[in-house]
Amino acid sequence: MVFNNLAHLIDLDFLEEAYRQTNKRSGAGVDKVNAEEYAESLIPNLMDLLQRLKENRYVAPPVERVWIDKEGGKKRPIGKPCFEDKIVQRAVVMILEVIYDRTFHGFSHGFRKGHSQHQALHELRELCWKTNVGWIVDADVSGFFDNISHGLLQDLVKRKVNDGGILRLIGKWLHAGVVEAGTLSYPEMGTPQGGVISPLLANIFLHYVLDDWFINVVKPRMKGRCFIIRFADDFIIGCELETDAKRVMNVIPKRFNRFDLTIHPDKTVMVMVKRPAMAVKTKDGNSTFDFLGFTHYWTKSLRGYWVIKRKTIGKRLRRFMKAMWQWCRSNRHEPLKEQHKSLCSKLRGYHQYYGVRCNYKALETVYEYAHVAWRYWLSAVSQRLCESG
């Protein structure tokens, strides 16, 4: 079924609901209008917005680009849309989510209601056990969000949604332009990370490029059992047989090249993860793999059964502790109660994600390091005050 009459669903009540669901804590975009300023005249603003949408006079403003740190000293671009643009994007997402949620496969967990990273991790652990997985294909798409073809993306959206109003809005967002250091540019590829609609567009793109292809083309040709788990552009393919894993490794780059995407040759690896009792020891003994911030490995449970356990990736652990040290140093002069509140919030957020079974040692390490770092920099401040006094 193809939907071709959807834009009329966006009325004043719909925009009000989109406003309620829009994140109001993020910074302002290029127009410098934040959520509080927009809410001062909310209904008149939404009525004017609706009129522009109906008359096709709505112009998607450029996205302000900022850079955040990544692992290995690299930077990741993040887009900051204007608040009003977020409302329109949220309204379109509310419509498309209802349609595509029934289309997406259950193993696609990224940015979907009722799905989460922890659900993907649990499913991965269970499937490794049930399918007797022996090999893992860990693939990495080079700069996925920055290299999505605008034309291919719009063609894939048309397979399910062929409404002119919705397609025009998506086209406006893809070609809105990017402002960086005061300079406006118009990238020919990619969808800006940070946009409300970008995760959904990415899921639509990968649904046709990867998910459907794996289920309908790859899996029927495998000689053994296999599975795939995907969260946004991070995905893991598990195979029971080595021959199947090698075939997947050979065909994945060709598949993504057809859609103008590149599989990173160094970060895409095939890892043997058989249970130690069944595995033949490899030359380097590599039997672990990383996914969604955790290192997965086989070990014995307290009852003596072989199980897959998880621990925080070493790089992620060291990066968080380094950031904790720098934060304690930069904020050591703030009021003590404010420091304690912020530290508790940081640790609570860290524990909520990494607080899974078998990872308590890493959590203990983080807690003890935070205690040492905070104590060290508070002592440095006290010592200077005593010397100056």
Side-chain angles (χ1 to χ4, degrees), residues 244-255:
D244 289 343
K246 287 183 177 179
R247 292 178 66 186
V248 170
M249 279 286 290
N250 291 331
V251 75
I252 278 184
K254 300 175 184 177
R255 175 65 179 179

Side-chain angles (χ1 to χ4, degrees), residues 138-154:
D138 184 3
D140 182 87
V141 185
S142 299
F144 171 70
F145 284 92
D146 296 328
N147 293 291
I148 295 178
S149 169
H150 292 170
L152 290 174
L153 174 59
Q154 290 174 301

Side-chain angles (χ1 to χ4, degrees), residues 288-291 293-297 309-314:
T288 67
F289 62 95
D290 297 336
F291 185 58
F294 291 91
T295 297
H296 304 254
Y297 61 98
K309 292 187 178 182
R310 296 156 294 188
K311 61 182 179 180
T312 308
I313 295 177

Side-chain angles (χ1 to χ4, degrees), residues 173-350:
W173 289 320
L174 292 177
H175 300 91
V178 175
V179 175
E180 184 177 355
T183 302
L184 177 63
S185 61
Y186 295 92
E188 298 180 357
M189 306 281 286
T191 174
Q193 299 184 55
V196 176
I197 201 170
S198 294
L200 178 59
L201 294 179
N203 273 337
I204 294 172
F205 195 87
L206 285 176
H207 170 77
Y208 292 107
V209 174
L210 177 64
D211 300 351
D212 258 7
W213 169 74
F214 182 85
I215 293 298
N216 299 322
V217 178
V218 176
K219 196 171 183 178
R221 290 171 169 77
M222 296 291 101
K223 296 181 179 180
R225 290 174 292 183
C226 61
F227 66 84
I228 181 173
I229 302 290
R230 182 173 69 81
F231 190 93
D233 60 326
D234 293 331
F235 63 94
I236 289 283
I237 298 176
C239 299
E240 186 178 11
L241 304 177
E242 181 181 5
T243 53
D244 289 343
K246 287 183 177 179
R247 292 178 66 186
V248 170
M249 279 286 290
N250 291 331
V251 75
I252 278 184
K254 300 175 184 177
R255 175 65 179 179
F256 276 82
N257 285 340
R258 287 183 56 188
F259 294 88
D260 298 334
L261 292 173
T262 304
I263 297 293
H264 200 293
D266 298 326
K267 294 182 180 180
T268 302
V269 294
M270 188 178 78
V271 183
M272 186 188 74
V273 291
K274 293 181 179 180
R275 303 177 196 177
M278 304 168 57
V280 178
K281 192 161 185 176
T282 57
K283 184 184 299 183
D284 57 0
N286 186 9
S287 59
T288 67
F289 62 95
D290 297 336
F291 185 58
L292 295 181
F294 291 91
T295 297
H296 304 254
Y297 61 98
W298 281 103
T299 187
K300 279 193 174 183
S301 67
L302 294 176
R303 296 184 178 181
Y305 299 108
W306 287 107
V307 295
I308 283 188
K309 292 187 178 182
R310 296 156 294 188
K311 61 182 179 180
T312 308
I313 295 177
K315 291 182 179 179
R316 300 283 182 92
L317 183 65
R318 292 189 293 271
R319 185 178 65 180
F320 183 82
M321 291 193 296
K322 181 180 179 182
M324 185 69 69
W325 180 272
Q326 293 175 344
W327 187 91
C328 290
R329 179 183 180 181
S330 301
N331 294 271
R332 63 188 185 273
H333 297 296
E334 298 296 324
L336 197 60
K337 288 185 177 180
E338 294 298 323
Q339 291 188 51
H340 179 262
K341 182 179 179 181
S342 297
L343 276 174
C344 288
S345 177
K346 292 178 181 294
L347 291 173
R348 188 161 49 248
Y350 186 88

Side-chain angles (χ1 to χ4, degrees), residues 123-133 225 227 275 298 305-308:
E123 187 174 330
L124 173 61
R125 183 174 182 269
E126 294 299 312
L127 286 173
C128 284
W129 173 265
K130 292 178 181 179
T131 61
N132 194 26
V133 66
R225 290 174 292 183
F227 66 84
R275 303 177 196 177
W298 281 103
Y305 299 108
W306 287 107
V307 295
I308 283 188

